[in-house]
Amino acid sequence: MSAIVQVRELSRWYGIVMGLNHVSFEIGPGLVGLVGPNGAGKSTLIQIITGQFRPSSGTLTVFGEVPWNNPRLLRRIGYCPERESLPRDLGPVDWLHGLGRLSGLRGTEARARAERLLAKVRLPREHWAKRLSQYSKGMRQRVKLAQALLHDPEFLVLDEPMNGLDPLGRQEMAHVLKELAAGGTHILISSHILAELEALCREFVILNWGRVLASGTRDTLRTDVQGWSEQLQVRCDQPEKLARVLFDAGVLRGFQLAPEGDWLHLEVRDPEVFYQRWLELLLASGVVVGEIRSESRSLRQIFDKVTA
Amino acid sequence: MANPLLAWLSLPDGESTGFLHWNVHLYVGLLMPLYCLVVCGAMIRDEVQDDTLAFLVTRPLTRARLYLGKYVCQLAWLQFVFLVNGLLLLGVGLLRDIPEAPSLAGRVLLAGVLAALVYGALGGVFGLLTRRYIVLGLVYGFIVEVGIGHIPTNINSLSMLRHLQDLLAGHPAVRDRYEWSADGSGTGVLILLGTTVAALVLGAVLFTWREFHASHEALK
């Protein structure tokens, strides 16, 4: 399937402050993570995707169309904002019912869908009669996700949806998002909680200072990042011997012996060659390996590398 | 609802002049425009200030439709409030034995309908322009409604209040008391409706083209 979002030389300024700086990239189908520190341009990008802002220059299209004031396209997009502000005096069902009517649903249908979605996002029924102003941060996140799903969008854009959720809440939210993705909904999710994004997403876009530093799958990112090296921690009975064998075979860029004695830190030159020869070299060395940890596969490390 | 209560407390029995002043100057001339400004100025501005506008503008409808839909909702509330107020003022008039009260009530109610339409639409535009829409509305009131409205040439047609007064002047007691002419009341209604449409179009265009960013708007 072709890209959901296509961005060409997009810039966005707020007065003299630059939100996005001449970026070009594509966002593919499935679950995609938007990664970046505060001020990286994530929310600006999301607000242009959802038709709240226009680009200062360049183009951004979603499903091939420009989002600004485009109801036909907005019918296909659901948006869950980062900010927590919700109408103070309404209960969740009434609020969702009103938004459902604005989304073109009939009265009874809108109410029924509101209730179904509140159940789907696992907001306990005993809280439905309360006003939104009485809700905790986690409960607000669930209601915000429910409103994004009201018109059954094909593409869901979530800005920091895990904020304020406790670990169980995060797990439940992740479960809901995986269910939606399995049902064919494309999801763009921004977060600074990289571990959670990593568990959820297939692809990533890494932003910083209004620029796209890298994008693609985790493996693509790792390959694309210049100077990248696979890193392993190996616990074994003779770390010095193993390091010498591997280094002599030319598969290492470097290594370090841990002061504790039985841990060896390896910096791999070419992962493909390394893993082809790893078993053969290990058997040849006669070293007994107790544990192997791959450090360099984490999104955190890729993120740290590209934002350094 | 304080308006009819205060009228009942402050107006003496059988005193037509005070009742006319209350209806014509205080209620139609001041309270109605101010209330419309407060209610309709807030219709988009409150969403911006509360940072909830994103939930609306990301719905699958054009911004112009969203703006007009908000206006219609506020208008329904204004018409309800003015209907209840008008009827309660009629009740006050009857309780105070004001002979003109029953015949004036219809014109006050009609003035309420038209005032809600036109001042609501203008208030909506002011609310889009600045978060200090009440200040802008007061400036507009002093310059256009009070200032230009009292210039004895055709330029006073710019004052919406002038046309509401023409409408009220269709009642003999108002015409005699204030020496206003009701000749232009038909044209006045058309001007009120035309201004309403023009202000709504301007508001819809502004809302369609303007971006609203809560943190930036807070500084304006």
Side-chain angles (χ1 to χ4, degrees), chain A residues 12 14 50-54 68-69 71 74-75 79 81 83 85-86 88 95 102-103 147 151, chain B residues 50-52 54-64 66 207-213 216:
Chain A
R12 168 70 209 202
Y14 302 100
T50 53
Q52 298 174 69
F53 290 166
R54 281 170 293 196
W68 177 267
N69 200 34
L74 292 176
R75 189 169 293 285
Y79 171 57
R83 40 194 178 266
S85 315
L86 298 177
R88 288 182 291 267
W95 185 51
L102 282 178
S103 304
Q147 66 78 33
H151 51 288
Chain B
D50 294 346
D51 211 2
T52 50
F55 294 112
L56 300 179
V57 296
T58 53
R59 294 289 132 197
L61 72 169
T62 60
R63 287 177 169 234
L66 178 61
F207 188 61
T208 299
W209 288 103
R210 267 203 71 178
E211 293 176 349
F212 292 92
H213 193 289
H216 292 185

Side-chain angles (χ1 to χ4, degrees), chain A residues 255-271:
Chain A
F255 66 89
Q256 202 173 1
L257 292 164
E260 297 84 51
D262 55 352
W263 279 99
L264 174 64
H265 179 86
L266 303 176
E267 200 172 322
V268 174
R269 189 179 295 279
D270 181 342

Side-chain angles (χ1 to χ4, degrees), chain B residues 11 16-28 177-178:
Chain B
L11 294 175
S16 296
T17 306
F19 185 74
L20 288 179
H21 275 323
W22 193 283
N23 273 280
V24 172
H25 288 310
L26 185 67
Y27 182 46
V28 177
R177 176 71 185 81
Y178 300 107

Side-chain angles (χ1 to χ4, degrees), chain A residues 234-242 261-263 285-290:
Chain A
V234 181
R235 184 168 61 80
C236 56
D237 59 346
Q238 300 173 77
E240 280 182 46
K241 186 177 178 187
L242 179 61
D262 55 352
W263 279 99
S285 70
V287 174
V288 178
V289 171

